[in-house]
Amino acid sequence: MVLARIPERMQLETMEPNPVWVKDAYGDTIDTLAAHADDLVFKVWGGDWCKDCRAQLPDFGAALDAAGVPESHIEHYPVDEDKQGPGVKEYGIEFIPTVVVERVSDSASGEEVARFVEEESVPIAVYLADRIAEQDLTAEESTAGT
């Protein structure tokens, strides 16, 4: 699914990388994200007014930065306090922050690889990297069996 690119003035300030985030504490996460920096797109729904977003997105932004994910592969979708905004209906966004990870595709719609919704027991980057790594293992197993 292709959504219109959000003008820079509408980007999420909460995605600015946390300057005190320690990338050495997340080596495996950074390695996984870096290995896929060019073949995945991270679509981020949030609001700078949202306390969960302010608490979680700066660290996620730092992780993407540390992994060398190009800015062109990070799409911001700010929502209002009623959680309305670009792509909300198309992607079924109900809670924020939500991050949808899709494979970069030549087609109009990329394949969804992983989705983080609002809260998990681990940080956003760790949660998504784990889902991406699981998909890598599943792909390896299916090709090994052929």
Side-chain angles (χ1 to χ4, degrees), residues 89-107:
K89 289 182 183 159
E90 296 88 340
Y91 280 87
I93 306 301
E94 295 181 30
F95 304 100
I96 57 171
T98 292
V99 180
V100 174
V101 182
E102 293 181 343
R103 292 201 189 286
V104 172
S105 172
D106 292 334
S107 69

Side-chain angles (χ1 to χ4, degrees), residues 114-143:
R115 182 181 288 238
F116 174 93
V117 179
E118 190 176 29
E119 186 177 340
E120 290 292 339
S121 60
V122 295
I124 299 172
V126 173
Y127 181 84
L128 293 174
D130 288 350
R131 305 289 86 64
I132 294 163
E134 287 169 7
Q135 290 226 350
D136 286 349
L137 288 175
T138 302
E140 286 174 17
E141 290 169 0
S142 67
T143 57

Side-chain angles (χ1 to χ4, degrees), residues 44-73:
V44 183
W45 281 266
D48 293 331
W49 52 267
C50 168
K51 68 177 179 151
D52 290 335
C53 297
R54 289 192 316 266
Q56 297 178 71
L57 291 178
D59 287 351
F60 181 55
L64 294 176
D65 187 54
V69 174
E71 285 188 33
S72 61
H73 288 227

